[in-house]
Amino acid sequence: MRFFVADCDPDVRGCRRSPGERRAAATRRVRQKRIPLSEKQTTIRNTQLNDSAFVPGKPQHFNHPHKVMLGLYISVFLGMLSETSMNITLPDLMNDFGISSGAAQWMVVGYMLAIGVVLPCVGLMLKWIKAKTLVLFALACFLSGAVICTVAPNFPILLAGRIMQGISTGIVLPTMYAAIMRVFPLHKIGAANGVAGLVIMFAPVIGPTIAGALIGAFSWRAIFALFAAVALVAIVCTALFFVTPIERTRPNVDALSIVASAIGFGCLVAGVSLISDMGFSPAVIGLLAVGVLVLAFYAYRQLHIADPLLNLRALGVAAFRTPAIMISCSFSCTLAFMYLVPQELQRGMGLSSTVAGLLMLPGGVINALCTLAAGRMFDRHGAKKLVWIGSALTIIGGALFFAIGVSTPVALFLAAHIIVMVGIPFIQQSSQSAALKSLPGHMAADGSTIMNTMQQVCGAIATAVATCLLGLGQANYAADGGMNPAQGFVDGSRYGYLFGMALVVAVLVLSFLLRESKEEPQLVPVHVDIEKLAA
């Protein structure tokens, strides 16, 4: 017999009746489950049938998914807080350790370098190691790094602790998104990503403020002590609530791919991060060349071996590739703007660092709230319309930034910053949800890793480009006879704003290539042998 069924009644097998009664009972129960289906019943999706990660008989429903994810939320928040709090500590580090600004910048570069090297390997780690075990290891690594930084007697030891923190962030960030795809049902992925985005975006809102307050009250070491305390909370929450929703397939390990990944991504991130300090020196060009060549070999190898370190075939799925590129462009725009804006407030408009931080707070809070709202709106409206709204708002905000001058009223800056901070989440969250939703479950970890790696690399490149454009604008102002350093900085910033708006225009163009399916999941035919079922 051939029925459209959602599941089978587990009581039939254990029913103590005569063979005839069991067959009749089985027939009635199967027919009762043909139609209609309630919202609480489980349906079998076409994509799930082709997903090697689907395990029949094992429930995939979690009654309190946010509780399950709490430890990862705190872990990712901690990583982003660490990343956004460090710039304010650099002057104090230079004074305490007697180092140059170039050496101090390695607190930022080393962190990004560690993330860039670890990220491509996370997909393989999740296929071999329990997700819970991996997250606890990452948090222990972050805790150790924070303690080392708190008591560091010299800069090399401080940098070593900082790199350990980068390794941790590189692990927990893609793991969180991979877990979201397994813990939440598909129709709530947008809202779940919205919560994750809120966690990520809340850190930049409060990070500089907390760091400045701790430095003023104690010293820069208090920042790392705070990181250690938060890491302990994350470890406890992970140990108590997190499960292992990602199945382990234990594929073969290709050592050559691991080495190529570390060298390629490491050289590329280090090269682009050093452009602003060293320019296109032979060392920087060498790092970039090695990075590009090794990554080309790495990509070729991943596509031609049976068990790739990172399944780059996900990029062959247009429904994933397009939003992934959109995410990278919008993230790059955000980093370029956020690199220029605080400096322009201080060096262009003559405001203090305290006032500049306070002026950025309203936009940061609004950005966090819009991130949560954008995730929920994706579940109802899809990605394309939200991307159009976000792109339009970001371009308008960028144009207002472009109009800022040395004597511009603060109200214009607030308007520009708030508009951009409203627009970016509509692009970022909707594109990210669309990308992850387009992949089958067994590719979720690879897809998350690919997106996060692209963001880190593209973000580092965007920051370097914004820095170079800033210097170009200042040089052109001086070449035209300009003598006001503040005006020169404003002119240079405008070059960077144009670059950011160009990235958003690219997002807008790519949005027309998005293909979204609005069809409800349909039941698929399943052959049921009533005689065998009853027996």
Side-chain angles (χ1 to χ4, degrees):
M1 301 181 69
R2 189 170 183 264
F3 296 108
F4 286 84
V5 300
D7 52 12
C8 296
D9 192 343
D11 294 331
V12 173
R13 181 174 296 179
C15 182
R16 296 181 178 179
R17 301 176 183 175
S18 65
E21 291 175 334
R22 288 201 300 269
R23 285 195 295 270
T27 302
R28 286 196 303 270
R29 286 169 177 160
V30 170
R31 287 176 176 173
Q32 287 172 355
K33 296 194 175 187
R34 289 173 64 184
I35 54 174
L37 287 174
S38 69
E39 293 180 357
K40 293 183 178 180
Q41 287 177 307
T42 304
T43 60
I44 302 176
R45 301 171 183 266
N46 285 297
T47 54
Q48 287 177 319
L49 293 180
N50 296 325
D51 185 354
S52 62
F54 177 73
V55 182
K58 290 189 177 181
Q60 300 296 316
H61 175 72
F62 297 89
N63 291 327
H64 303 286
H66 289 297
K67 183 178 179 181
V68 173
M69 296 292 298
L70 181 59
L72 272 173
Y73 288 156
I74 298 175
S75 303
V76 172
F77 169 80
L78 181 60
M80 296 299 102
L81 183 68
S82 176
E83 185 171 358
T84 57
S85 301
M86 197 48 51
N87 287 331
I88 201 169
T89 68
L90 297 183
D92 293 86
L93 296 179
M94 292 166 61
N95 293 332
D96 286 3
F97 293 114
I99 57 178
S100 66
S101 60
Q105 284 293 329
W106 273 98
M107 288 294 287
V108 178
V109 174
Y111 191 81
M112 294 180 64
L113 183 63
I115 294 175
V117 169
V118 171
L119 268 174
C121 301
V122 176
L124 177 65
M125 294 179 188
L126 289 172
K127 294 171 184 175
W128 270 93
I129 306 171
K130 286 184 179 180
K132 184 173 183 176
T133 303
L134 187 62
V135 173
L136 289 174
F137 166 78
L139 288 171
C141 190
F142 195 101
L143 176 61
S144 301
V147 172
I148 290 173
C149 289
T150 303
V151 300
N154 53 54
F155 184 72
I157 293 179
L158 179 71
L159 182 59
R162 180 67 174 161
I163 291 175
M164 291 177 66
Q165 294 173 343
I167 292 172
S168 173
T169 302
I171 292 174
V172 298
L173 189 59
T175 302
M176 178 183 71
Y177 286 110
I180 283 175
M181 297 301 297
R182 306 303 175 84
V183 173
F184 292 88
L186 279 179
H187 67 279
K188 292 185 178 180
I189 292 299
N193 279 328
V195 173
L198 175 64
V199 171
I200 292 175
M201 295 309 302
F202 187 59
V205 173
I206 66 172
T209 304
I210 292 178
L214 289 175
I215 291 175
F218 304 100
S219 73
W220 58 265
R221 295 181 187 273
I223 298 175
F224 293 104
L226 174 64
F227 293 164
V230 178
L232 282 174
V233 174
I235 289 174
V236 171
C237 291
T238 301
L240 290 178
F241 306 128
F242 189 57
V243 296
T244 305
I246 304 172
E247 58 286 329
R248 289 167 292 158
T249 57
R250 293 187 173 88
N252 295 327
V253 178
D254 183 43
L256 185 58
S257 293
I258 296 176
V259 174
S261 171
I263 294 175
F265 285 104
C267 289
L268 186 61
V269 173
V272 297
S273 300
L274 291 173
I275 290 176
S276 58
D277 288 333
M278 301 175 60
F280 286 97
S281 63
V284 171
I285 293 175
L287 284 172
L288 292 175
V290 171
V292 171
L293 291 175
V294 174
L295 284 179
F297 166 76
Y298 168 81
Y300 177 84
R301 186 167 181 81
Q302 301 317 295
L303 294 173
H304 290 82
I305 59 177
D307 297 304
L309 179 64
L310 186 61
N311 191 356
L312 296 181
R313 292 179 179 85
L315 290 173
V317 180
F320 171 81
R321 180 178 63 249
T322 299
I325 296 174
M326 293 165 59
I327 293 168
S328 299
C329 290
S330 63
F331 184 75
S332 298
C333 171
T334 304
L335 288 190
F337 279 4
M338 294 305 100
Y339 171 77
L340 295 169
V341 167
Q343 296 188 76
E344 187 178 28
L345 288 174
Q346 299 176 68
R347 299 174 62 182
M349 301 176 66
L351 303 176
S352 66
S353 58
T354 302
V355 174
L358 290 174
L359 288 175
M360 296 184 67
L361 186 60
V365 173
I366 291 174
N367 178 268
L369 296 176
C370 289
T371 298
L372 180 60
R376 295 185 180 276
M377 292 175 69
F378 169 83
D379 291 327
R380 295 194 299 268
H381 304 291
K384 187 175 293 187
K385 293 180 180 179
L386 297 182
V387 170
W388 290 347
I389 294 172
S391 299
L393 290 173
T394 306
I395 292 173
I396 292 172
L400 292 178
F401 275 137
F402 188 84
I404 291 177
V406 293
S407 58
T408 297
V410 171
L412 180 62
F413 164 78
L414 285 174
H417 190 230
I418 289 174
I419 291 174
V420 169
M421 291 295 101
V422 171
I424 287 294
F426 284 100
I427 302 174
Q428 196 80 6
Q429 293 305 310
S430 55
S431 299
Q432 184 164 264
S433 298
L436 289 176
K437 197 173 182 179
S438 68
L439 295 177
H442 69 279
M443 297 180 73
D446 291 300
S448 175
T449 302
I450 290 171
M451 284 194 301
N452 283 286
T453 303
M454 289 174 63
Q455 287 185 68
Q456 290 295 324
V457 174
C458 293
I461 294 173
T463 303
V465 171
T467 303
C468 295
L469 290 174
L470 173 64
L472 178 63
Q474 290 175 302
N476 290 341
Y477 173 77
D480 292 337
M483 302 295 292
N484 185 351
Q487 186 61 52
F489 195 92
V490 168
D491 285 4
S493 297
R494 289 172 176 168
Y495 282 59
Y497 293 140
L498 285 175
F499 169 63
M501 286 189 285
L503 291 172
V504 178
V505 171
V507 170
L508 185 59
V509 172
L510 287 171
S511 68
F512 290 94
L513 301 178
L514 285 176
R515 296 291 182 267
E516 299 181 272
S517 175
K518 297 184 180 180
E519 296 181 0
E520 292 295 328
Q522 301 293 325
L523 292 178
V524 298
V526 178
H527 293 278
V528 179
D529 191 326
I530 296 298
E531 298 292 335
K532 291 183 178 180
L533 182 63

